[in-house]
Each structure stands twice: as structure tokens, then as C-alpha cells.
Amino acid sequence: MTQHIPKVHLIAGARPNFMKIAPLMRRLSEEDWCRPVLIHTGQHYDAAMSDIFFTQLGIPAPDHNLAVGSGPHGAQTGAIMQAYEALCRDHRPDWIIVVGDVNSTLACSLVAAKDGIPVAHLEAGLRSFDRTMPEEINRIVTDTLADLLWTPSPDADDNLKREGIDAARIERVGNIMIDSLVSMRHRFDTERHWHVLGLDPGAYGVVTLHRPSNVDDAATLAAIVEALTAAARDLPLVLPLHPRTSAMLETFGLSDRLRKAPGIHAVPPLGYIPFMSLVTRARLVITDSGGLQEETTYLRIPCLTLRDNTERPVTIHEGTNRLIRPADLGTAIGAALAAPIDSDRPAPALWDGNTAARVAASLKNRMSA
Ligand code: UD1
């Protein structure tokens, strides 16, 4: 009789998932007690938003691609659910692992939970306490459904316990994204992407913006463009533009204003290695991303986050990150450049490059219980 090797689905859908899935896929592929199966929902599908991350992070081609594409939240979430439910009928896994807080995370968790398939959530417990963010809804629902919740930091454990989640389901494993950063760091220096753009290390800023709250409103986006073009006169700014942001700049007639401003380097979305090569040598980062707040904390680079709140408060407590409003951008840049940063401070506990190993050990333990 052949031995049953448990099948574990790893779900990836959007750009911020890929650097979390890569170390986990690699680690689980080395284990003999489970068979990892990679599912790409196709939430992100452009080569620059998806394929390039698979190549640069060494992720194998997905076993299944649901190819759902873009759409409003209901349509996108529903399309992923329908496609994943059909897949599970033919290729039922023993467990699924979802990461982060995108629509793919929520959709696949819902399907699995209703089908009686156990769900593990990696990056569980983060809360912005702002339900106007679609990601906050995704986080809350996914954590309610998950059988096993892997957290990156103590605040996440506290959030889950406060919501009444049984402590026995929570395990702190650390920050999986730092695994990718640590394992690829040697590539960032050889890449020297700042050099490709004609910039000097330590003498430019990196800006990423894509949240609907910043880019979907004409007045808000215009105010941000004004502040960035003013700041770029003193500190060159590199802006790898998310497709949503490029589209909104065009729609609001702001594209030329930004692209032609002195000191502004507006470029297409970048792959993981060139992007992190830029970030590693940046003087400053301005962002509304979640992951970049953490990467700058690890790298001890000042980060200004254009949001009212963050689900990653540890980045604020560590002294690298500050929440700001668009109207305060100019003064905040000046203050950030003037403030000293304690570059010797150690990284937060368990942000050490070994999270995938802890996740694998935890899953093995649960599956054999
Ligand atoms: C999604 C996540 C967000 C994450 C972000 C990272 C949700 C709710 N949001 O937001 O948490 O921070 O990814 O990028 O899951 N588009 C393309 N090519 C692509 C993908 C998207 O052109 O490959 C365009 C489409 O016009 C699409 C728009 O970008 O409508 C937004 O894409 P979508 O996946 O809906 O959300 P993001 O804003 O990328």
C-alpha cells in the first residue's frame, strides 16, 4: 500500500504574497512529510506584477493558475472562490496555507473553511482597526476562519486573543518577508539599480503609492504630486508606479506634471531584486505599502507612511516609521532627513530569516497531532 503524503495548498495571488510564499515553498519542498502544491489565483497577472517575482525569487511555476484577473471586490473575490472551489473538488488538499491580507487570501480561506479543509494563516493578527480598508476586512475574516494562526509579532497575538481566538490556535513564528530579504540580500548590492538610474547611494528617496485612499481621489493625488515634486528638487525621488497609480495619474491629468518634474524618476513597477536594491541604499522611503514599512524597519531606513493608521505598529515603536498626511509630506521629509536613526538597533524578535523553518515545524506538529 502506498503511503498517503498530505497535500498542502499554498495560495498566492498578488504581488505582496510572492515574497512570503517563496521561502515557504522552498522549505516545504525539502520536507518529506508533505507535498506543497502552489496555487496562483491570478489576482495579479502582468509580467511586472507577477512573473518577474517568480523568476527572481526562484518560485517554481504554479501547479494551478486560476487566472481570475482584476475586478471590483465582490466580482474578484467571487471569481476566486468559484475557481478554487472547483479545483478543490478535483484536487482536495489536506491543509491550505494563505498569506497576508489580499482578496485571494480571504476567498480561498472561505472556500476551504466551508469545505472542512483546515486553514493556516501566515501573517495573522495584524490590525489597523480601520474597516474602510478592504485588507482589514480580509484580515479579520481570514483570522476568524483559520485553524492555525501564525503571527509575526506580539501585538498580533494580543489582537487575536482580544477577539476571542483560542490561544491554542496561535503560534508566533516571526516575519516571513524578512526570510526573502535575508536570503536575497547579497543580490541587492550587486544589482546596483540606483546606478542604472544615474543616482548615488544614500542620495535619493523611493516612493510607492497604490492605496485607493491616496490615488483614487483627484484632490488627494494632486496634493501628493505637488509635495513630491517640491521635495524632489532637494532629494531625487524614484517612483516605481503601480498600474492603478499610473491609470489614476492619467485620469486626473497629473501624469505629465509628475513625470516631467526635476528630480522625479517615474519608472514602471520593478522586480524584487532591483526594487530592494534601490530600497537598501535609499536615504528615505515614502509609501502606503504594508510590507515596505517592515522592510525599512529591518534595514533601519526612515519611512514615511502616507496613511492614517498602520496594522504594523511595531514599525512605529522601532523608530523607523512615521504616519503622515499628504499635507504634511514636505515638512515630514525635512524632519526625517534631519533626525538621527539608531542603525545598530537589532531587528525585532524573530525577524531573522528563519520563519519558514518555524512554520514548517509548526505545520508538521499540527498535522501529526
Ligand atoms: C492588491 C491588494 C492590496 C495590495 C496590492 C499590492 C486587495 C484587496 N488588495 O491591491 O492589499 O497591497 O494588491 O499591489 O487584494 N492591475 C494591473 N495588472 C495587474 C494587477 C492589477 O494592471 O497585474 C490593475 C488593474 O487595473 C486593477 C488594479 O490594478 O483593477 C488594482 O488591482 P487589484 O488586484 O484589484 O488591487 P491592488 O490595488 O493591486
Side-chain angles (χ1 to χ4, degrees):
M1 205 179 76
T2 52
Q3 192 200 353
H4 172 73
I5 300 181
K7 201 160 55 177
V8 180
H9 279 186
L10 274 70
I11 311 292
R15 185 169 62 178
N17 293 160
F18 304 138
M19 45 294 254
K20 296 169 193 166
I21 283 291
L24 197 52
M25 190 67 197
R26 195 175 313 120
R27 179 68 198 207
L28 291 180
S29 299
E30 291 164 6
E31 309 273 333
D32 58 6
W33 52 268
C34 76
R35 187 157 69 81
V37 176
L38 183 58
I39 317 292
H40 191 332
T41 66
Q43 177 173 346
H44 283 175
Y45 43 87
D46 283 348
M49 298 292 284
S50 176
D51 303 13
I52 195 166
F53 289 86
F54 278 70
T55 314
Q56 296 194 342
L57 289 160
I59 310 173
D63 296 279
H64 304 275
N65 192 328
L66 307 180
V68 295
S70 298
H73 286 275
Q76 187 176 61
T77 307
I80 300 168
M81 287 185 70
Q82 279 188 344
Y84 187 56
E85 187 173 56
L87 180 81
C88 285
R89 255 197 311 271
D90 296 337
H91 303 275
R92 187 181 171 87
D94 294 277
W95 272 79
I96 82 161
I97 298 177
V98 295
V99 300
D101 55 16
V102 301
N103 285 344
S104 303
T105 312
L106 168 71
C108 294
S109 303
L110 272 166
V111 168
K114 289 198 168 189
D115 216 359
I117 302 165
V119 176
H121 183 205
L122 181 52
E123 202 184 83
L126 299 186
R127 295 291 181 268
S128 64
F129 304 100
D130 174 3
R131 290 196 184 200
T132 65
M133 281 183 79
E135 293 81 1
E136 181 75 353
I137 309 286
N138 293 347
R139 289 187 282 261
I140 293 169
V141 179
T142 302
D143 285 342
T144 305
L145 299 175
D147 300 274
L148 179 53
L149 298 103
W150 288 314
T151 58
S153 46
D155 55 289
D157 298 29
D158 295 343
N159 291 335
L160 294 173
K161 288 178 196 155
R162 206 178 314 110
E163 287 172 20
I165 290 178
D166 182 357
R169 285 158 57 201
I170 306 169
E171 283 186 46
R172 194 174 331 140
V173 293
N175 191 324
I176 189 77
M177 217 178 41
I178 303 303
D179 282 30
S180 278
L181 195 160
V182 167
S183 71
M184 304 287 287
R185 196 164 181 177
H186 62 288
R187 303 281 303 276
F188 307 156
D189 278 341
T190 47
E191 179 79 8
R192 291 158 48 97
H193 200 72
W194 36 269
H195 184 67
V196 175
L197 296 174
L199 298 166
D200 293 323
Y204 61 87
V206 172
V207 183
T208 77
L209 296 169
H210 73 286
R211 298 265 165 224
S213 57
N214 283 325
V215 307
D216 284 6
D217 175 70
T220 307
L221 189 55
I224 292 173
V225 167
E226 277 320 304
L228 292 178
T229 51
R233 286 197 279 269
D234 298 324
L235 182 74
L237 296 176
V238 185
L239 288 87
L241 291 175
H242 186 283
R244 174 196 285 277
T245 310
S246 295
M248 298 321 283
L249 286 166
E250 286 295 334
T251 303
F252 300 141
L254 295 165
S255 193
D256 275 1
R257 170 89 189 91
L258 179 71
R259 289 173 192 277
K260 292 185 178 160
I264 293 281
H265 299 253
V267 297
L270 293 170
Y272 183 70
I273 296 170
F275 180 70
M276 288 307 296
S277 152
L278 280 177
V279 169
T280 308
R281 293 306 186 100
R283 177 69 185 83
L284 173 83
V285 166
I286 300 167
T287 193
D288 58 13
S289 145
L292 201 40
Q293 295 174 55
E294 296 178 338
E295 285 158 335
T296 48
T297 289
Y298 183 83
L299 295 166
R300 308 297 304 161
I301 291 171
C303 180
L304 300 176
T305 298
L306 271 165
R307 285 175 43 186
D308 294 338
N309 46 57
T310 179
E311 62 288 338
R312 292 161 162 92
V314 61
T315 61
I316 310 266
H317 302 142
E318 289 289 319
T320 48
N321 189 20
R322 242 189 90 192
L323 299 177
I324 55 159
R325 290 170 186 274
D328 303 327
L329 192 53
T331 10
I333 292 173
L337 295 179
I341 199 148
D342 177 5
S343 52
D344 291 333
R345 190 169 163 145
L350 305 183
W351 293 28
D352 58 359
N354 295 317
T355 291
R358 287 186 285 269
V359 165
S362 161
L363 187 63
K364 184 177 183 189
N365 188 29
R366 293 281 165 158
M367 285 170 85
S368 56

